[in-house]
Every structure is written in structure tokens, then in C-alpha cells.
Amino acid sequence: MMQFAALIPFFPLAGFIILGLLNKKLPKSAAGILACTTLLISFIISLAVFMSISGQSQEIQLAPWIDMGGFSASFTFLLDPLSSIFLMIITGVGFLIHVYSVGYMHDDEKHNIFFAYLNLFVFFMLVLVMASSYLLMFVGWEGVGLCSYLLIGFWFKNKSYNDAAKKAFIMNRIGDLGFLLGIILLFITFGSSDYHTIFPKAQGLMSGNTMITAITLLLFVGAMGKSAQIPLYTWLPDAMAGPTPVSALIHAATMVTAGIYMVARSGILYALSPVSMYVVALIGVVTAVFAATIALTQNDIKKVLAYSTVSQLGYMFLGLGVGAFSASVFHVMTHAFFKALLFLGAGSVIHGLSGEQDIRNMGGLRKKLPITFITFLLATLAISGIPPFSGFFSKDEILIHAFASNKLFWALGMIGSMMTAFYMFRLLFLVFFGTYRGDDKIHAHESPAVMTIPLIILAILSTIGGFVGVPESLGGTSQINKFLDPVFQSATKILPAEGASSISEMTLMSITIAVVLGSILLAWYFYISRKKVPLAEEAKLSPIHNLLYRKYYVDEIYNALITKPLDKISDFLDSIVESKFIDGIVNATGKVTEGVSGLMKFVQTGNVDFYLLAMVISVACIIFFKLM
């Protein structure tokens, strides 16, 4: 099946081309079937590759690309355990989101072009994870950035949605500059951007190498932008402007995991830089806690999930920073299941309430949307880390590694887990329990089967998906760790051998479970027992509540310190430098040219006798000055 692996990204590309060319000619049903089928074929091939992959990596060279000045690059794909897992996530979860979109976007006037964008998005993400070099990865990296702009601003007639799309695009460009500079330094250091050249050479370097530290920190800047870490995270909550399937695709299976994949792929480089590892872990755990505090007070159902995504990505970076590479990839997988389910479940609620997104106007929906409720509940249990759901195994493994590496990081991770359970059950209780608080004219209804079937499949995966990583302390074999070991063994050999005993692991698990259950009980007390409902925006909030609700005023700070000064500089350059100086020079040049040509026109009289006289006088002058 390996010979067909190169076709995995090209089926979604073919779907994009066909849908783009036949946009207005294809009926909606045919467009949906085409988009889903192309991705289903890619998933089937990815599954076959996953089943047949061994510990050895394999490269598939498609075509030459660049060959000049001593530098060469080709379109070459890399298949190994790491890329195969991401292929499964992207195509599998992506396919379910495509199927869900058939129902969710059925009435949209731009239905066909929406699926074209989805297919193109998946194509670039597949290129990103299959690339065998940083340069080709950068092509996919930029491609998903472009597609995110198109999808977030899909309903472009709304100015705020356009602003959100531009914000995502521009903030990602900031991170991408760091990524590009990192690639340039890689070429300067190793003479190539190919993994098979860089990684073996890197193993011969000393730990703490200054150039490696510079490279990894620059690469991490790119990861911070793409995976929404402090300070480049503010674009992700605003990305909720896009249709809900876009939120699920960006936040669960594709774009935001690109930074995780890139750092994991570069594991050997990060293992050689203790400084970079510490920075990655620190930024990750701070982001996890910071975003969780904001999620505690948000009232938009998608905004709560958006900040939850930022927080969960922080856990993944925490895992990478403490050397738990396999655990972080494991959490990427489980997060793809339950976060896609949560977003699609939120979309089902929004669909059933005719577009309502404010959880203060919901309540009592578990009887009217039974399938959505049950699946949403399972996803909430998974993200909260309740055993035996998938999130428990992946997040717990990260926390155990954090405890072995840095007790403060573990403590902060525990605080984040506590808040995660609280805000997720707060969301669940306010949406599905109590009495309905919305418009009586809106009659909530369950979504059609084309939307609920993907929910059911993702709910099953969220429930049992964690069993591929059951630790040995619980009688498991950590299958996913063994599967990924060939990819990360060169990095883990460099890192200090730290670990907790089986007794310590059981103790830490017990503490985690107790803390999470306590948070759930606290949420039940506030929102079920006391029937507390968040206050209206115009109500007087406590200073701390208001600070969290206003998201620490980070957007306002960025606007005051960066946006407004740049706007003023732009206005100055436009009104003074551009209009008066540059335009003045251009206009003066035109006037001088016009004046000179006005004088010269008297010389060009058109009179042949005058021309003959001028020629004779000129010849006489030449002879005269020559004889002088």
C-alpha cells in the first residue's frame, strides 16, 4: 500500500479543483458527496499505511523542485509512525467533519465553494505532515494559513468576520517569520532543510549548542503562532467567526496541531537545547492555565470551547517541553476526538436553536436534543480527564512527566485540569440542564442523521480512544508509546532519564481524579443546586470576574500598544510622506518634464529650411571650436 501513499493528499486536491471549476454547475448533494468521497479515499489509504507501517521510515520522492546555487530540494514525502498517526487524525476526523458539514451547510448559498475550501485546507495539512523537509513543510504551513483566512472569513459580508480572518492571517504571519528564520539558520548550520540530513548531523552536536538553541526558539515562535500560545493566541477565539465545522476542523484535527507536530518532529533538536525545552514547557503550562481562567467566564458556547482549545494546546506543549513527546502526540489524538465532538455538538445546539450561541439563553435541552446531549456529555467527561475516557490517559501521562521534571509545572497543570473540569461542566449544565431561558418562539430540535452520526462515532472514539495508551502502572502496554518510540528514541536518549515509580503514578492519578471530581461537584453546586445563571453583560461584575470576562484586556492592550501606534504611523506616512513628499517628487518630475518639452517644441518647428540652417550653423560651430 506504500506505493499509493503519495496519493493521500492529492485526492482532496482533486476535489478542490473539481469543486472550484464546477462550482455553480454541481448540485449541492453532488458537491457534498464528492468532497466527502475524496477524503474518505484518503482515509482508507492512510489507514492501510498506518496498519502496514513499521519502525522504519520511508521516503517517497515525487519530483524535483529546486536545484540552484548548490541548493537542491524535491517534493518528497516521509512516512513513519509519527506522520501516519497525523494522517489518520486529519483524514479520519476531517472526513467526519465533512459529513457533518453536508447537513450544517445545506442551506448556505456558497455551499459548494465551502467544500472546495475544506478540501484545499486538508490538502495543505497533509502536505505539512507528510513533508520530508522543513522547506516543504513550510509550503503546507503557509497553505493552511491561507485556507484558514478563507474559511474564518467565509461569511465575508459581516465586517467583524472579515476582521477575525485578517487577524488570524496577520498574527500567523508573525509566527511564520520566526519559523522561516529558523529554516534559514538550519540551512546555514546543516547545509540542508531535509530531515534525513539535519537529524543525523544534529546527534553529533553537544547539548546546549548556541546555534541549536537559536534555531529551536525561532521554530517555536512559528509554533506559538500556529498553535495559539501566549502571546500569539488571540486570533484563535476570534476564529469562531467561521462556520462551526470550520471551528472543529481548525481547532481539533488540523491547523492548531501543526505547531505540535513541528516541535515533535524536531524532537532531536529540542532535546539538544535545555533552554528551549524549558521555554516550551513554561509557555505551554502558562497558556494552559491562562486560557482556562478566561474560559471560566465566557458565555458564548463556541468561545468557551475556543479558550479550551488554547488551554489543551498548552498541555501538549508542556508535554513536549518536559520530554514527553509520545504523550503529547497521544493527547493530540484524543483531543482531536473530543474537541471535534464538542464543537460539532455545539454546532448541533446552535442549529437546533436557529443560530443562538449565548448559553444564558439556553437550558433544559437534554430532552429536546438527546443525541447531542449524550455525545456532548461523553466529550465533556473525556476532556475533564475522567477515567476511562480518552482524555484521562493522555493528559495524565503529561502530568506525570511534568511531575518528574518540574513540580511547579505539575502543580500548574493540576490547577488547569481543575478549571477545565469546572468550565466544561458549567457549560454542560447551563446548556442542557435546568429550564429553557431562551426565546419561546424558537423550538429546539435534534439535528438530522447526517449531523448526529458523526457525533456518535466521535463519542465512541472519545470513550475508547485512550485505551491505546494505557500505562503499565494500570496493567496496560502503552501501545502508542511503543509505536512512536522509533521516531523519538534518538531524542529521549539525550534527555535525562527521569520518571516516577508506579506507586507515585498511582498517587498522582488519584490526586488528579479527586481534584477533577471536586471541580465537577462545585460546578453542580453552582449551576444545578443553586441554579446560578451568568449575569448579563451590562450587569455590574466583580473586579476579578470582569477581568476574566474581558479576557485580561489583552486585545485592548495590543490595540493600544501596537495597532493604534501603527495606524498613526501609517496615517503619517500616507498624509505627509506619501501625499506631500513622494507624490510631490513624482508630480514635480512630471511638471519639469512638461516644462522642458514645452521649450523643446519650439525647436521642432517642422520647417525644413530652419533644420538646414541649424545644421549648417552646428557644423560651423564644431569646426570653429575644433580649430581653436
Side-chain angles (χ1 to χ4, degrees), residues 544-560:
I544 295 178
H545 191 158
N546 190 61
L547 181 66
L548 298 180
Y549 181 73
R550 301 297 177 185
K551 298 158 282 190
Y552 294 97
Y553 297 96
V554 173
D555 280 308
E556 288 80 359
I557 292 171
Y558 284 175
N559 188 54

Side-chain angles (χ1 to χ4, degrees), residues 301 304-305 308 312 337-339 341-343 345-346 372-387 389-392 395 417 419-429 431-433 458-459 462-463 516 520 523:
I301 186 170
V304 175
L305 298 179
S308 170
Q312 295 303 307
F337 299 153
F338 58 69
K339 186 51 63 67
L341 176 54
L342 288 169
F343 270 110
T372 301
F373 164 65
I374 294 172
T375 55
F376 202 94
L377 172 62
L378 294 175
T380 302
L381 291 169
I383 192 175
S384 299
I386 299 296
F389 296 91
S390 60
F392 165 74
K395 189 188 292 185
S417 294
M419 288 189 288
T420 299
F422 182 84
Y423 68 67
M424 284 308 307
F425 274 89
R426 168 184 180 266
L427 180 64
L428 181 80
F429 292 150
V431 172
F432 293 102
F433 289 81
L458 287 169
S462 298
T463 303
V516 167
I520 295 172

